[in-house]
Amino acid sequence: MTIDLKPEQQRVIDLAVKSGAYPGSGEVLDQAFAIIREQLDLGEWMLDERETLAAHINTGFAQAERGELIDGDAAVAMLRKRRAERLNQHG
């Protein structure tokens, strides 16, 4: 298969390889596809869980209005833990 890249796309790939973060253009594309796959999986999950998410968001807004807030770093750590657990469940 032949893929025609836009000049900007080729420049990004070349910069990624030149930085030493990737041994070649194939690895850059592998990483890009992995990110896209992860976003698509997350999007499907969000659609499946829309009502649950909406309820959690409403609960969060109500808690914030009452002043029941947690530290930003603690919130990020909690979200990362939940995400890791979800990804482990899905294989």
Side-chain angles (χ1 to χ4, degrees), residues 69-82:
L69 305 172
I70 62 172
D71 176 71
D73 290 336
V76 169
M78 179 181 63
L79 291 172
R80 285 184 176 150
K81 180 181 175 189
R82 286 182 184 173

Side-chain angles (χ1 to χ4, degrees), residues 12-61:
V12 170
I13 291 170
D14 293 342
L15 285 172
V17 173
K18 188 176 181 180
S19 75
Y22 301 91
S25 58
E27 289 77 14
V28 176
L29 293 173
D30 287 344
Q31 180 66 38
F33 288 129
I35 291 168
I36 292 168
R37 232 180 351 264
E38 182 178 314
Q39 290 174 341
L40 292 172
D41 289 345
L42 180 58
E44 288 177 14
W45 175 83
M46 286 181 67
L47 287 174
D48 293 343
E49 299 293 326
R50 186 182 342 195
E51 289 181 20
T52 302
L53 287 170
H56 285 297
I57 290 169
N58 289 334
T59 298
F61 278 130

